[in-house]
Amino acid sequence: AETTAPDPTVPEEGITGIEKSDDIVGCGDEVQTDSTVQVHYVLKSQSSGAVVDSSWDRGSPFDVTLGQQQVIKGWEEGIPGMRAGGRRTLVLGPDYGYGAAGSPPDIAPNDTLVFVVDVLSVS
């Protein structure tokens, strides 16, 4: 597993949909739409260009079960298909993130979010 936090590149303009790109294709178990996954992630706001949240900075991975509305739509749709050991960049338009409300103070209304997600394990 990678030991240093990635530094996501933020697009010039916000987007409306969802864009997925695999930076590292894992070779472990595949994430299903109802998997429990342990991940490390970094989140940047497109509007500010700043890191808003990072499990790396907290020093502990994040566990989540997909398909139970525990996380934003962009994760529910963007993480399945990854494999353990993989790293994916997700660029999420507002409909896949926090929408018109944003998540003040760090995420502006209708903000585009950029996540880099490392899947550590799948169960």
Side-chain angles (χ1 to χ4, degrees):
E2 297 291 321
T3 54
T4 55
D7 184 25
T9 302
V10 176
E12 296 277 325
E13 301 288 329
I15 68 166
T16 55
I18 177 171
E19 297 174 2
K20 300 180 274 193
S21 57
D22 285 311
D23 308 303
I24 300 169
V25 177
C27 52
D29 293 333
E30 185 172 345
V31 180
Q32 308 298 323
T33 54
D34 61 351
S35 294
T36 297
V37 293
Q38 184 176 73
V39 299
H40 258 316
Y41 68 91
V42 175
L43 165 60
K44 269 191 180 177
S45 154
Q46 187 272 332
S47 64
S48 70
V51 172
V52 173
D53 189 14
S54 170
S55 64
W56 295 90
D57 290 350
R58 288 193 296 275
S60 62
F62 179 67
D63 294 302
V64 63
T65 301
L66 299 174
Q68 296 187 357
Q69 285 76 55
Q70 294 180 7
V71 287
I72 58 173
K73 184 178 175 185
W75 275 38
E76 297 278 14
E77 295 191 16
I79 294 179
M82 291 185 68
R83 291 184 177 276
R87 170 176 287 178
R88 179 174 284 177
T89 299
L90 298 173
V91 183
L92 308 176
D95 289 350
Y96 293 87
Y98 294 98
S103 183
D106 297 317
I107 296 170
N110 294 311
D111 211 350
T112 290
L113 308 178
V114 181
F115 283 94
V116 176
V117 179
D118 286 19
V119 173
L120 306 179
S121 65
V122 181
S123 56

